[in-house]
Amino acid sequence: MVPGRPLFASYREINAEEGGRSEVKGIKARLKRVTEYDNRISISAMAGLQLVLIVVWLEIGAHMPTGLGLWADILFCSLVAVFGNAAIFLAGYVAAILLACIPIRLPRLLIGTAAGAMLIIPKALTQMNINLKGAFLLLGSLLITGIVIGLIAYIAVVKLLNTPERRRMTFTVAAVVLAACWFILSDFQSLQAAFSKIIETDSEEEEQWNAYAPSAFGSYSVQTFTYGSGTDLRRKEFGSGAQLISPSVDASGFITKWNKVRTLFWGFDPGNLPLNGRVWMPEGDGPFPVVLIVHGNHTMEDYSDAGYAYLGELLASRGFLTVSIDQNFVNYSVYSGIPGDDYALRAWLLLHHLKFIDEFSHANNNLLSGKADMDSIALIGHSRGGQAAALAAVYDSFFKEAGKEKKLAHIHYPIRSVVAIAPTDKKLENKYIKLNDINYLTLHGAKDSDVTTFDGDRQYDRVSFSRNSADYYFKSSLYIGNANHGQFNSSWGQIDIKLPLRWLMNTAELLSEQEQQVIAQTYISAFLETTLLNKTQYLPMFRDWRRASAWLPESTYINRFNDSRMLKVATFEEDSVKETATLKNTTIEGSELQMWEEQDKKNRQQGSRFNRAVLLSWGDRKGSFGIQLSRAAAKQLSSSSRLIFSLAHASTSALQYPMDFSIRITTVQGYIVSQPISGFRPIHPVVVSRYLNAGPLSDYIKGGKLNPSTEAVYQDYIIPLNAFIGKDSPYKPSHVAKIEWVFDRTTEGSIFIDDIYLQR
């Protein structure tokens, strides 16, 4: 500000001070002096603001990989930051020129730069799961932070660092603070994992136990190679580096949308899609069970197929011919969108990979000759790949029923097992996928901020088994309290979704990537050995995760289990009458309950889980819920029989205290025995998912779906009926007349119960 001149002044007054020049000449003079009120203080503030803007632009660029390699991505990010800031500076200068026409003395360039940023950046941020209002709020707070940083830097330079001694002391303190910040922000779990490799176990017994861990490498040496088109423009391993040349396939008959930019990038279109795969194969004569792994919808240019090497190597060492399928060309791209019918396309491609493996296994003189057992197949999928795996298992029948002949693959192989890792469960052709007589395993993390609801549990409920089948099938689910979406793939990492800044994601509560992958290795390996190799030693861990606790990292686990030999008692799907059960001649009754009704299950967004359960509430330690069995059903029971049911909290108030109740059995002779449920296993606490560190901004990110929330997740309780037999007890399981849930141990509560079965 010019000394003695008021803050506001008319052009005429300013012209008079400047020698009586004409008004037009005065305006021109002022335009030449746009920055006259931007002194050292405001320039320092603007430097801090520009520093913050560079970080924002780099973050935007990092979410737009080019697919052309690391250096190309670095160059692209740098160009985004340079041109983005240049655009803001240009817009800021234009704004400063406009401010020069207003008779007010302000740091015009600083204000103009901030205005330019608010004009340009928020729209770009809306492409990263934050709405426009949230983008303005976030950017405004960042701009203020940048200005404060610039002012602090100015004060430090001018006031604090005016002597050599002060400069040395300040730099020393800054170095210590930065080192402390780095240590605090480091991944302690990763550090601990690194140190744990150095520490040898003191217990020989523990070493022997861990040798049986499903995540331990098996006895087979592993051969690794790739197959592909041999002409791939982007992936050398599927181009000139492919050891087997696979045919292309024509999906043009049903793909409804395919951007020309996608063709330009990949070099092919829907008429000649490649079959690319990474193979981990046991060295030996074979044939080996075939396991295909397929990734989900990650950014197309950030390749996903190599992220399952930790699974491929383990499974091959334990006797499975394992292939990670490349479907990156089906994924979303910032530049070309996503193909139409991508769910069907993912499953359709899986079937064509099976056909290729089958043909080459039956041919001579190639790496796959005689190696594939096509009567023993499992499909593993992650995210959309998890739904694709389920769809592929029933592909032609699903689309034939929908009347979509163009989508049929006309490829039929017996899929024995499906593993779905954090799968989607989208309605296709106006219906959902149902599986029958297929083994099914699903894993999901409570900190999954991509697929935020436990959709694999919905598919679990739609897996059925034929009565009196000669073959044994089972299904199981595992909900993991500290797992996210991305760390099941080594390429995806801790950040599940695009965000304006990565520190908005709450990663402090996550398991490390290594720990999360150990869980996947443990359960998937055990599942495949049980279902494809007919081994039974790991079956108990699917009934109760605690049987595998020595092999798992510390976290909260919730699991379900059901098999083809269980007797269905009540699933609450049979009708709308709450007193009727599924099992013939079996009735349901309730007494002194505050609430007893059948309801649709809800997910954390209050969407339907498409499955009914019974909601029970009680108070004052009063109330009971019972199943009255027929004599014919009871006579099927023996000392090895079990009661099985699923239980979930119906209220977050369960956070406040542990819950307990009794299981009471009455025999036909009137003899009563009772045990607390906590004696078999404690009722698990409610799992709260806190996805973000965004505070008030959470409401504007992903439509508020990432606010802290809970979900009704069902834990199965498997209770041996012989556990009620006491010394000199006249009780016998075959004499059971009534089984009751008696709410006499906790003052009040509210729970869901579902899927009541008896194992004969």
Side-chain angles (χ1 to χ4, degrees), residues 289-405:
V290 176
V291 179
L292 302 189
I293 307 173
V294 61
H295 58 79
N297 183 37
H298 197 61
T299 304
M300 178 182 81
E301 297 84 359
D302 187 17
Y303 311 129
S304 301
D305 52 283
Y308 304 105
Y310 74 95
L311 270 179
E313 292 170 359
L314 170 70
L315 295 178
S317 77
R318 298 180 76 97
F320 301 96
L321 196 168
T322 310
V323 185
S324 178
I325 304 302
D326 164 37
Q327 293 189 0
N328 291 284
F329 51 86
V330 183
N331 282 354
Y332 170 79
S333 170
V334 175
Y335 313 101
S336 60
I338 191 168
D341 294 301
D342 72 290
Y343 284 90
L345 180 57
R346 294 170 197 274
W348 185 87
L349 285 167
L350 279 176
L351 296 176
H352 280 277
H353 277 271
L354 288 176
K355 182 180 179 183
F356 162 74
I357 293 168
D358 184 21
E359 290 174 351
F360 269 64
S361 181
H362 282 91
N364 295 323
N365 301 321
N366 70 80
L367 290 169
L368 287 174
S369 296
K371 301 296 186 181
D373 179 359
M374 301 307 292
D375 292 320
S376 188
I377 300 171
L379 304 178
I380 302 173
H382 184 186
S383 195
R384 292 196 189 196
Q387 184 169 351
L391 178 58
V394 293
Y395 185 87
D396 272 9
S397 61
F398 182 89
F399 286 106
K400 198 168 188 178
E401 185 180 317
K404 302 292 182 179
E405 299 293 329

Side-chain angles (χ1 to χ4, degrees), residues 42 64 124 127 169 205 213 241 279 298 342 526 550 592 629 711 751:
S42 66
M64 301 171 64
Q127 306 303 311
M169 184 173 64
E205 182 179 349
V279 181
H298 197 61
D342 72 290
E592 296 186 279
L629 291 177
E711 187 169 22
I751 60 172

Side-chain angles (χ1 to χ4, degrees), residues 211-523:
Y212 295 99
S215 59
F217 275 68
S219 58
Y220 287 94
S221 297
V222 178
Q223 183 180 6
T224 304
F225 59 92
T226 60
Y227 63 78
S229 65
T231 59
D232 199 294
L233 291 178
R234 303 298 172 195
R235 314 289 304 279
K236 182 179 179 181
E237 57 268 47
F238 304 128
S240 60
Q243 287 94 324
L244 286 177
I245 303 302
S246 57
S248 62
V249 291
D250 183 0
S252 59
F254 72 85
I255 294 181
T256 56
K257 181 179 68 174
W258 181 279
N259 194 294
K260 291 181 179 179
V261 174
R262 188 174 292 265
T263 301
L264 182 64
F265 180 84
W266 290 110
F268 53 78
D269 59 24
N272 58 338
L273 299 179
L275 298 177
N276 298 333
R278 296 176 179 272
V279 181
W280 295 271
M281 187 173 69
E283 291 189 352
D285 293 336
F288 303 104
V290 176
V291 179
L292 302 189
I293 307 173
V294 61
H295 58 79
N297 183 37
H298 197 61
T299 304
M300 178 182 81
E301 297 84 359
D302 187 17
Y303 311 129
S304 301
D305 52 283
Y308 304 105
Y310 74 95
L311 270 179
E313 292 170 359
L314 170 70
L315 295 178
S317 77
R318 298 180 76 97
F320 301 96
L321 196 168
T322 310
V323 185
S324 178
I325 304 302
D326 164 37
Q327 293 189 0
N328 291 284
F329 51 86
V330 183
N331 282 354
Y332 170 79
S333 170
V334 175
Y335 313 101
S336 60
I338 191 168
D341 294 301
D342 72 290
Y343 284 90
L345 180 57
R346 294 170 197 274
W348 185 87
L349 285 167
L350 279 176
L351 296 176
H352 280 277
H353 277 271
L354 288 176
K355 182 180 179 183
F356 162 74
I357 293 168
D358 184 21
E359 290 174 351
F360 269 64
S361 181
H362 282 91
N364 295 323
N365 301 321
N366 70 80
L367 290 169
L368 287 174
S369 296
K371 301 296 186 181
D373 179 359
M374 301 307 292
D375 292 320
S376 188
I377 300 171
L379 304 178
I380 302 173
H382 184 186
S383 195
R384 292 196 189 196
Q387 184 169 351
L391 178 58
V394 293
Y395 185 87
D396 272 9
S397 61
F398 182 89
F399 286 106
K400 198 168 188 178
E401 185 180 317
K404 302 292 182 179
E405 299 293 329
K406 286 185 176 180
K407 292 185 180 180
L408 298 185
H410 301 291
I411 298 172
H412 303 281
Y413 291 100
I415 309 301
R416 290 182 58 182
S417 303
V418 169
V419 179
I421 304 171
T424 57
D425 187 44
K426 184 180 179 182
K427 183 182 284 189
L428 303 174
E429 309 299 344
N430 205 35
K431 61 179 181 175
Y432 290 94
I433 302 163
K434 295 181 179 180
L435 302 178
N436 179 251
D437 290 345
I438 293 174
N439 299 292
Y440 185 77
L441 171 67
T442 184
L443 310 177
H444 196 94
K447 301 295 191 296
D448 188 324
S449 48
D450 186 356
V451 182
T452 54
T453 61
F454 192 4
D455 285 355
D457 203 39
R458 301 200 312 189
Q459 179 64 76
Y460 175 98
D461 285 329
R462 297 196 304 274
V463 177
S464 61
F465 306 124
S466 301
R467 293 185 63 185
N468 303 318
S469 172
D471 294 323
Y472 176 75
Y473 300 98
F474 77 91
K475 58 181 179 178
S476 182
S477 72
L478 185 71
Y479 191 73
I480 309 159
N482 299 97
N484 76 339
H485 192 79
Q487 290 185 146
F488 288 115
N489 182 304
S490 300
S491 303
W492 292 4
Q494 290 187 319
I495 310 302
D496 285 344
I497 60 172
K498 292 180 181 179
L499 288 175
L501 293 169
R502 297 173 191 229
W503 49 258
L504 293 177
M505 188 68 69
N506 174 27
T507 58
E509 298 176 10
L510 294 180
L511 293 164
S512 70
E513 181 178 273
Q514 180 186 20
E515 289 173 321
Q516 192 164 320
Q517 291 174 4
V518 164
I519 297 169
Q521 287 177 317
T522 299
Y523 266 82

Side-chain angles (χ1 to χ4, degrees), residues 656-710:
Q656 300 171 11
Y657 52 82
M659 186 184 292
D660 199 4
F661 55 81
S662 298
I663 300 293
R664 185 166 70 193
I665 295 178
T666 304
T667 68
V668 291
Q669 296 87 1
Y671 188 76
I672 298 175
V673 289
S674 178
Q675 294 277 5
I677 189 69
S678 57
F680 300 101
R681 71 180 307 153
I683 296 176
H684 67 82
V686 171
V687 179
V688 179
S689 301
R690 189 173 71 84
Y691 302 104
L692 300 173
N693 296 318
L697 282 174
S698 298
D699 291 336
Y700 309 108
I701 294 174
K702 208 174 179 181
K705 291 182 179 179
L706 300 186
N707 277 311
S709 58
T710 62

